[in-house]
Amino acid sequence: MQLSELTAMISPADERAKLTAKMRWDSIAKPLGGLGLLEEAVIRIAGMTGSADVDLGRRAVIAMCADNGVVAQGVTQTGQEVTAIVTENMSSGCTSVCRMANVAGCEVIPVDIGVAVEVHGERIRQSCIRRGTADFTKGPAMTREEAERAIMTGAELVRELHGKGYGLIGTGEMGIGNTTTSSAVVSVLLGKEPELVTGRGAGLSSEGLRRKIEAIATGIAVNEPDKNDPVDVLAKVGGLDLAGLCGVFLGGAAFKVPVVIDGFISSAAALCAACICPDAADYMIGSHASNEPAAAMVLDKLGLRPFLYAGMFLGEGTGAVAVMPLLDMAIAVYREMSTFDDVSIEAYQPLD
């Protein structure tokens, strides 16, 4: 399948299913809108799947793992070797997202889409496009063809999971330097100066932050990415993990599977997907508000509101997994709670 064929499969969410779900919520014996964003999420999921009979079934978090050549500019606190270590730990279940996913009944699927060295592990999907990107301060991070292959890798994985009955997908990542690539992509797509969209990532010093902003500004100046061409932006100043996650969001929209955004990095990928195909945003669910300065900007651009304001910035998909039990609880109320008629209580009426 080509990218153009994938985007042609995407249509807006089903408004009739959303209306039916809203009517179900309003019939339940509780204050109207009492569960707030959780009610809104269930209504939106009905629109995504085309059915008000909301049942998420199996769920997985896809963690795209890749290295970024821009780390050569001193933009990270840790070395590039950490990407491979954590990727392999995801396979053995020894990372934060794995522990959280066990509680949430969620499978973790680590994908080597561009780790700098070969990684080993039974659960790792071997989908490497290239062994890390180039340093974008010197030239494009990757070729356009590589970016498109990474996008389609994410989309094809969603197609496979959909065929196996997965009804909810979370997005995660592992890649030292990927807050730098995410900030660069967001800077271009939102038309914001690098210093406005760049944060400290996993804990940079003030001097490290200065180098990070300078590297992003240099990369944009050297490569001149076209803000009207998201694939060009990904190829020139993005990363393979971002491109793969962009494909996950597009695949979710094409195959009508709800996809939960994690934090800033996956929201940058979501923004790319929505710029490629605006209807893709109908199939995205926000999770938490990251500490990164541009996180709120991106979610606002996507028209999404997060459930959690927990000061999280761990990554890996931890925020996406954290909201899955909340969705389960909301759906339990939606599916199982008595209606006003059932309990002979006069229904609440909308306020003027």
Side-chain angles (χ1 to χ4, degrees):
M1 188 192 312
Q2 300 297 314
L3 180 57
S4 59
E5 296 174 299
L6 176 68
T7 56
M9 295 171 62
I10 299 172
S11 58
D14 187 327
E15 293 298 325
R16 180 174 296 181
K18 290 171 66 175
L19 178 60
T20 303
K22 175 67 164 60
M23 292 171 63
R24 165 62 187 169
W25 273 123
D26 290 349
S27 74
I28 293 173
K30 62 166 187 56
L32 296 176
L35 288 179
L37 292 179
L38 294 175
E39 292 192 26
E40 180 182 308
V42 174
I43 291 168
R44 293 189 65 241
I45 290 170
M48 296 173 198
T49 61
S51 172
D53 183 19
V54 177
D55 183 1
L56 296 175
R58 301 173 71 184
R59 71 281 310 271
V61 58
I62 298 172
M64 291 289 179
C65 306
D67 276 304
N68 302 282
V70 72
V71 299
Q73 300 303 314
V75 297
T76 61
Q77 186 180 51
T78 57
Q80 192 172 60
E81 68 278 1
V82 173
T83 301
I85 293 169
V86 176
T87 301
E88 292 185 342
N89 286 345
M90 282 184 178
S91 178
S92 62
C94 296
T95 71
S96 299
V97 72
C98 294
R99 301 305 189 198
M100 294 173 68
N102 285 342
V103 176
C106 177
E107 181 181 350
V108 177
I109 303 176
V111 180
D112 174 8
I113 198 166
V115 181
V117 298
E118 188 174 338
V119 288
H120 305 279
E122 184 178 345
R123 293 165 56 191
I124 298 173
R125 296 292 186 108
Q126 302 292 346
S127 303
C128 188
I129 305 298
R130 57 180 282 174
R131 289 293 170 201
T133 56
D135 179 355
F136 67 49
T137 67
K138 310 296 185 184
M142 66 187 106
T143 67
R144 185 182 184 93
E145 185 269 340
E146 288 168 336
E148 290 191 358
R149 282 173 57 202
I151 291 170
M152 294 311 300
T153 296
E156 291 290 349
L157 181 50
V158 174
R159 187 220 289 264
E160 176 188 331
L161 294 176
H162 172 63
K164 292 180 178 179
Y166 287 77
L168 181 68
I169 291 174
T171 50
E173 38 61 42
M174 181 59 220
I176 299 302
N178 60 10
T179 59
T180 302
T181 55
S182 298
S183 295
V185 166
V186 169
S187 175
V188 175
L189 293 180
L190 293 187
K192 303 283 187 182
E193 293 299 318
E195 58 266 27
L196 297 179
V197 296
T198 305
R200 296 178 184 270
L204 276 181
S205 65
S206 295
E207 174 59 22
L209 178 60
R210 184 196 64 76
R211 290 195 299 269
K212 186 175 181 179
I213 293 170
E214 183 177 316
I216 292 168
T218 300
I220 293 172
V222 166
N223 293 293
E224 298 182 335
D226 181 357
K227 70 173 295 184
N228 297 311
D229 183 354
V231 179
D232 184 66
V233 178
L234 281 169
K236 288 178 174 175
V237 297
L240 289 160
D241 49 357
L242 290 179
L245 289 174
C246 173
V248 170
F249 288 112
L250 292 172
F255 300 106
K256 302 189 181 305
V257 179
V259 181
V260 184
I261 299 171
D262 180 31
F264 174 56
I265 294 157
S266 62
S267 72
L271 179 62
C272 291
C275 288
I276 290 171
C277 180
D279 287 336
D282 282 358
Y283 299 82
M284 302 173 186
I285 301 172
S287 64
H288 74 108
S290 164
N291 276 354
E292 287 292 300
M297 298 181 203
V298 175
L299 289 176
D300 184 64
K301 181 69 174 179
L302 293 170
L304 300 174
R305 292 187 291 169
F307 299 109
L308 301 179
Y309 293 84
M312 298 170 65
F313 57 93
L314 194 155
E316 297 182 16
T318 50
V321 170
V323 303
M324 289 183 182
L326 293 177
L327 293 173
D328 287 335
M329 287 184 274
I331 291 169
V333 174
Y334 175 80
R335 293 180 64 90
E336 302 167 17
M337 183 68 179
S338 300
T339 67
F340 287 109
D341 287 343
D342 291 335
V343 296
S344 300
I345 295 176
E346 185 176 350
Y348 282 89
Q349 299 300 317
L351 296 175
D352 294 334

